[in-house]
Amino acid sequence: MGSQLTMYITLVCTSGVLNLYLCLYAFSKRHKYTNIANYFIFYTAAISIYCFASAMTLISTTLEQISFWNTILYIGMPTSATLGLLYVMSYLGFKLSFRRSMLILLIPFITIIMVATNHWHHLHYRVFELDPNLGAPFVYQEIGIWYMVHGVYTFASMFVAFLLLLSHWKETGKAYRPQLIALMFGQLVPTLTAFLYLNGLTPAGVDPVPMILWLSSLLYLWAINSSRLFRIMPIAKDTIYNSINDGAIVLDESNRLIEFNQASKAMMPNLNKSMFGNNFVKFWKEQTGEALPFKLVTDGIATQEIKLCSEGMERIYQVRITSLDQARNRKGLLLVFTDITEIKRLQEKLEQQAYNDELTKIYNRRAFIQQCEQDFEAARETGLPFTVLLMDIDYFKRVNDTYGHHVGDQLLVHVVKVCQTQLQEGHFFARYGGEEFVIALKGYKEAEGITIADRLRGAVEKAPLMTEAGNLSATLSIGVAEVKDWTEETLYKLLHKADTALYAAKEEGRNRVKVYGTSKEILN
């Protein structure tokens, strides 16, 4: 055995031993490490098979022995390149399902079968025989179609892995860049060697790749020991940045767009990287047709709600504006858009349930008291007149007893709709309870309140409810009360006075308007 061949075998075995050590070490520590260690275990195991089988081919003396070990070699060689790609993808935070991993490994699996059955079809090697000049263990071979497919796929797997690592250089913190360097060179070294080998630029009859894999192994060992390769994994910035549901936009100190995530692009479909460097205020105007609805603060944190139309739908966002790099006097801004549309809709629904009558859809008593107290105090402070109308549907219990509660509910809705046709903006209309309704009139005097009350009474009387049992007429009794002396008056006292007037209207025959404190009666 020549000294050169001995050197080849020594280098190949060194690569095999180092990778076997890496495989066993990662396997023994797998419970302490992140999930990427699992890919690394299979990756280094495949390289070990590749290297040791290569060494066995170099000490073989017959074509049958070489062919056998070459088949074993192909169990490790094509899968190692692809497993290396899977390892890098996992390291960078790609989501790898079992099905996706198997699809990526499909070509290497086919290659293993092709090599094992080559003597039947000769698709991988057209010719595979001992070199007539050098003899064993050197082989003369002519490649087939599948060899070309396998070669391109293997080279592409290593090259893509290198490019993926390189593309994440800027997004990886300085503390983790030694890991990235080790992984990049761990992929680059065999990639360049494989490129030279596939182009016939290495010694004939010998695969040089396993001879230099010891260098990649040393780089991995260094990364494990110096930068905790498996214990701390630098998830790439864009993996986190693009996985969050909130839209995130980064501006520089001149409010120019310098970064955005996928959620922002979904929020503003026209957003793309060609707009980097554009002024964000101008960009917003071009995209929405409106001026920027919030101020780009340069200090601290500001929060504001905005509405934005996207794909024909109006969405509500909470915009959180945070200044960046203040300590370095570089005033960039981070804008985070949180979609709160559903929260707002739920809030509005809850408010509607809390402040609106479920049957008639007008304000309920709680909403009336809450709003009316504010209007009452505002009228007190400004000296405006304030009048309330309290009204009741006459003989409503009789309707429920005769026709049933479902007709009674229809009558309540009917009366509300008729009244709404007679009311104007500023007439605060609510269901006070049961068949009673109340109207607050800020800025209206007693005489105006009487006019409105009589208009309501007349409209209801002239508009019977049409039911299956026939037309059902209804009338209203209404009590009117106005604030006469602000020094002692309260809202509850005023409502009590209106209730007293309503009671008087009922006592005197119903279907009439009665004013508190007078014998004045309106009946048409």
Side-chain angles (χ1 to χ4, degrees), residues 38-39 42-43 46 74-87 89 96-113 146 149-150 153-154 157:
N38 294 327
Y39 285 100
F42 286 109
Y43 173 46
Y74 265 89
I75 295 175
M77 188 259 284
T79 55
S80 65
T82 311
L83 285 168
L85 173 61
L86 290 172
Y87 165 65
M89 292 173 70
L96 293 171
S97 64
F98 178 78
R99 182 178 180 181
R100 180 178 295 182
S101 298
M102 289 300 100
L103 285 174
I104 293 175
L105 286 165
L106 181 61
I107 296 296
F109 287 157
I110 295 175
T111 297
I112 295 172
I113 297 171
W146 188 257
V149 174
H150 145 74
Y153 192 79
T154 300
S157 295

Side-chain angles (χ1 to χ4, degrees), residues 405-441:
H405 286 277
H406 68 287
V407 175
D409 289 347
Q410 292 177 31
L411 182 60
L412 288 170
V413 174
H414 171 73
V415 169
V416 167
K417 290 181 178 179
V418 172
C419 290
Q420 286 176 325
T421 64
Q422 305 300 315
L423 297 175
Q424 301 175 4
E425 187 176 354
H427 297 171
F428 196 75
F429 184 33
R431 186 179 180 185
Y432 203 60
E435 68 273 22
E436 284 190 331
F437 299 90
V438 64
I439 301 173
L441 304 169

Side-chain angles (χ1 to χ4, degrees), residues 441-475:
L441 304 169
K442 185 176 77 170
Y444 289 79
K445 293 184 177 181
E446 180 183 279
E448 297 170 297
I450 292 170
T451 301
I452 294 170
D454 190 55
R455 189 165 68 238
L456 293 171
R457 186 198 60 79
V460 171
E461 183 181 24
K462 296 174 182 177
L465 170 66
M466 291 181 288
T467 69
E468 294 180 357
N471 292 346
L472 178 61
S473 298
T475 58

Side-chain angles (χ1 to χ4, degrees), residues 312-379:
M313 295 180 61
E314 184 178 80
R315 310 292 295 180
I316 303 173
Y317 294 93
Q318 182 185 74
V319 185
R320 183 180 176 88
I321 308 166
T322 307
S323 55
L324 303 174
D325 295 329
Q326 291 184 2
R328 302 178 187 178
N329 295 317
R330 293 162 54 196
K331 304 272 185 172
L333 291 176
L334 171 64
L335 278 58
V336 178
F337 294 77
T338 304
D339 192 336
I340 58 172
T341 307
E342 298 306 320
I343 295 175
K344 280 294 182 180
R345 287 175 181 170
L346 179 59
Q347 182 180 343
E348 290 173 1
K349 184 177 181 179
L350 292 174
E351 287 179 356
Q352 186 175 16
Q353 291 175 347
Y355 296 109
N356 286 73
D357 179 59
E358 185 177 357
L359 177 63
T360 61
K361 308 306 178 186
I362 61 174
Y363 290 112
N364 60 19
R365 181 171 183 153
R366 177 192 294 177
F368 174 80
I369 296 298
Q370 183 174 310
Q371 182 61 45
C372 205
E373 283 182 334
Q374 298 177 17
D375 293 344
F376 188 83
E377 291 305 318

Side-chain angles (χ1 to χ4, degrees), residues 43 45-51 53-54 69-84 105 108 111-112 115 124-125 141 147 150-151 153-155 157-158 194 197-198 207 209-210 213:
Y43 173 46
I47 293 177
S48 299
I49 294 172
Y50 177 26
C51 292
S54 295
W69 288 113
N70 186 67
T71 302
I72 303 301
L73 178 152
Y74 265 89
I75 295 175
M77 188 259 284
T79 55
S80 65
T82 311
L83 285 168
L105 286 165
T111 297
I112 295 172
V115 173
H124 193 79
Y125 299 115
Q141 62 187 35
Y147 188 100
H150 145 74
Y153 192 79
T154 300
F155 176 78
S157 295
M158 294 185 290
Y197 175 60
L198 291 172
D207 180 3
V209 175
L213 286 177

